[in-house]
Amino acid sequence: MKRYNALVLGLVALSTAAFIGKPSDDPKRKGLDLSGMDLSVSPREDFFLYANGAWLKNTEIPASETGWGSFNILRDENNRHIHDILEAAAKSKAKKGSIEQRVGDFYASGMDTVAIEKRGYEPIKPILTEIDRIKDYKSLLAYSAAHPLEGGGTFLGIGVGADAKNPDAYIVSMRQTGTGLPEKDYYTKDDAATQKVREAYKKYISTLFTLTGTEAAKAQKLAEDILALETKIAASHLGRIEMRNPIAQYNKFATKDFAAKVPNLDLNALLTTLRMKTDTVIVGQPKYYEYLNTMLPNENIETLKAKMKFSVISGASANLSSPFVNANFEYVGKTLNGQKVQQDRWKRLSSQTDGMLGDLLGQLYVAKYFKPESKKRMDELVANLQKVFETRIKGLEWMTEETKQEALKKLHSFTPKIGYPTKWKNYDGVVVKRDDYFGNLKALSKWRYEEMINRLGKPVDKTEWGMTPPTVNAYYSPVRNEIAFPAGILQWPFFDPNADDAFNYGAIGAVIGHEMTHGFDDQGRQYNYMGMLKNWWKKEDADQFKQRAQLVIDQFDGYTVLDNLHVKGQLTLGENLADLGGLSVSYAAFKTYTKQGKSNEKIDGFTPDQRFFLAFAQIWRTKTRDEALRLRVNTDPHSPGEFRTNGPLSNFEPFYEAFGVKPGDKMYRPDDIRAKIW
């Protein structure tokens, strides 16, 4: 299974809203949104509000969104670009099998609501009927392996990914699954907000069963039974903070040995049916499968079947007729995320097309919207930051020479990916039909499964990307030791070829540095220059790192989000370290490699350093609904935007100098608790 450290998670395509700042195609814009600032706020007290206060006051979150900010604004604009491409492709008379035909017909099939409404839940009826025929836990396991895309993943999380200790090879891996709430603590916490989520989840389960013909009282009983079952399963799970330890997740077994630990699962038969026959497996969370081994033979088979049927219905609900779509939205959209209304269908389908046919759509997107000069500028920025990172590693006073050499080797082995892949996937064999939306989804899911299992026995394809070209995000992959910046994010407000260096280094430069630093955060540092999970640190250096990282944990533990809800410093540690490292490295590159960085000439009344820090603060501007914010704090490794701004800056002395921050100011942290790592 892939693991990427992304710049931001929870990506959703977003709708239009008025926002302060000039449109992104204005050639005269110089990056910063000065009208979004609130000059009545002292930059020494709350820099996030100083940089974004007017924008926050004047911006309303669109009713169809969970939040609104820099990422959302660009994604919304990008979604409109994608929509234009899709509409043109859908109206074209493109040759059968061409990129335009497949992309256009997929989109058109999803927009054909008359046909979708007419079919209701017919696309999944045969699956539900098949599950009804299951007689006992053994036939349930046999069904799971024979139908991995049709409910088979309900209890079995089995896939193929790079071997973290042999990253050039693929291996079968097994992960915990079997629950539907966002995190294991949602099953046991008794605060009002969590209880509300559990009640909404039960209502969602019973609603879906009712929509497929189950009598209301029975549907409610099934919901109670499923929640009780998942509560027991959740007790066997590792939590999100525990899952941040890659060593603990790497449990390699001879297949026969792990099969002996879980005899009731008949693991060899499962893997054979899945066409993943292998003599070695990595089991991320053995405790889950050991529990599954004892639970399945003793659990009521009707409850197990109900759980599997619910998984099928829920997984398909957003792509069925409107009653199912609405039920999904009531729980996921409204309760979990606080959305007021559903997104327009064209937006959902634009995102869906990108997700399912990203390499086809990506070719059309790049041809129309990605400028070669953007890649050239990015190449320069990446090279400059890499040189600065090298200098900073060499100058670390807390790291020994031996470990420094390994760190430098890793830095020099980074593979930067910018814009789009050098090799496109073609989805060979997939026939996209204009009149069969669900069939198209099924065909593409099958293609992805075939692609996955066909990797076994082959070397890892290092040209593959973990995101599509239109994606407004970036990532670092530890097993590939690569940093990637899709074309989608290389636009304002993150990147502006017409803006000054202070803006671009403060915005996209900090993003580049962020992804580079992921290679040396609490997780990334455990992988060597080859992407191998291997300790390359001397003990005293590792101890120094942990001591310095603890300052960041403590700092973010102290931030309050809602009432008594605090940011989880341990959960967000990797992203917080990446934000701090990205800021530090990009600032040093700005000062070292740009003419503006060496001058003190003001633009719009701000010095180059001040503009750099303002750009950094404005990429994290965001407003989030309380429900979505609560979910994010409990599940997301990224801190809320205000802390991604004020947290790193309050540790950074050049920021103090730029804005005159002194002891006693809220943005000031005493030197003994100020985090300094990379």
Side-chain angles (χ1 to χ4, degrees), residues 537-575:
W537 292 66
K538 290 179 70 69
K539 184 180 183 304
E540 56 263 43
D541 297 322
D543 290 344
Q544 280 281 344
F545 176 89
K546 291 173 185 176
Q547 288 174 21
R548 291 163 183 269
Q550 189 62 47
L551 294 176
V552 178
I553 294 171
D554 294 342
Q555 177 184 359
F556 281 81
D557 275 343
Y559 290 136
T560 304
V561 182
L562 295 168
D563 304 322
N564 292 321
L565 186 65
H566 286 252
V567 175
K568 297 181 179 180
Q570 190 70 58
L571 177 63
T572 59
L573 177 59
E575 298 300 331

Side-chain angles (χ1 to χ4, degrees), residues 299 328 339 411 449 629:
E299 187 62 55
N328 179 281
Q339 283 176 266
L411 177 69
Y449 183 80
L629 191 55

Side-chain angles (χ1 to χ4, degrees), residues 577-652:
L577 292 176
D579 286 340
L580 177 58
L583 170 72
S584 306
V585 174
S586 188
Y587 176 78
F590 170 61
K591 299 297 284 184
T592 303
Y593 292 109
T594 71
K595 181 179 178 181
Q596 187 185 19
K598 296 180 177 69
S599 77
N600 204 36
E601 183 179 346
K602 292 184 178 181
I603 300 176
D604 297 322
F606 296 103
T607 67
D609 280 18
Q610 289 173 334
R611 291 178 64 80
F612 173 94
F613 294 120
L614 286 167
F616 177 79
Q618 290 190 346
I619 63 173
W620 302 123
R621 64 165 47 162
T622 185
K623 293 184 74 169
T624 308
R625 298 196 189 281
D626 286 355
E627 296 90 341
L629 191 55
R630 191 178 300 279
L631 177 66
R632 178 173 178 173
V633 168
N634 286 322
T635 62
D636 192 339
H638 302 81
S639 300
E642 64 183 291
F643 306 122
R644 297 189 75 170
T645 300
N646 290 347
L649 290 176
S650 66
N651 285 304
F652 200 50

Side-chain angles (χ1 to χ4, degrees), residues 115-116 118-127 320-321 324 438:
I116 291 169
K118 185 177 180 180
R119 294 193 72 186
Y121 75 100
E122 282 183 13
I124 62 171
K125 274 186 179 179
I127 305 171
L320 298 174
S321 57
F324 293 88
F438 202 88

Side-chain angles (χ1 to χ4, degrees), residues 214-233:
T214 303
E215 189 268 328
K218 183 179 179 182
Q220 189 170 349
K221 175 65 165 55
L222 290 176
E224 295 283 353
D225 292 345
I226 288 170
L227 182 64
L229 173 65
E230 290 187 10
T231 301
K232 290 185 285 188
I233 292 173

Side-chain angles (χ1 to χ4, degrees), residues 37-54:
M37 299 175 63
D38 185 349
L39 301 181
S40 69
V41 176
S42 168
R44 297 179 290 278
E45 297 298 301
D46 189 330
F47 195 73
F48 180 77
L49 281 180
Y50 173 74
N52 299 302

Side-chain angles (χ1 to χ4, degrees), residues 119-132 212 312:
R119 294 193 72 186
Y121 75 100
E122 282 183 13
I124 62 171
K125 274 186 179 179
I127 305 171
L128 302 180
T129 300
E130 190 83 16
I131 294 172
D132 276 332
T212 53
V312 170

Side-chain angles (χ1 to χ4, degrees), residues 335-384:
T335 302
L336 286 184
N337 288 291
Q339 283 176 266
K340 305 301 181 186
V341 299
Q342 181 108 254
Q343 280 186 338
D344 291 337
R345 187 169 186 88
W346 70 262
K347 294 188 177 183
R348 288 179 274 145
L349 260 295
S350 295
S351 296
Q352 179 79 293
T353 307
D354 184 35
M356 298 303 292
L357 286 167
D359 272 32
L360 297 187
L361 175 62
Q363 292 176 64
L364 302 178
Y365 176 86
V366 166
K368 189 169 184 178
Y369 293 110
F370 187 60
K371 299 175 181 178
E373 52 265 36
S374 295
K375 186 177 189 311
K376 182 179 178 182
R377 188 78 179 275
M378 280 293 291
D379 286 337
E380 177 186 314
L381 282 160
V382 169
N384 287 346

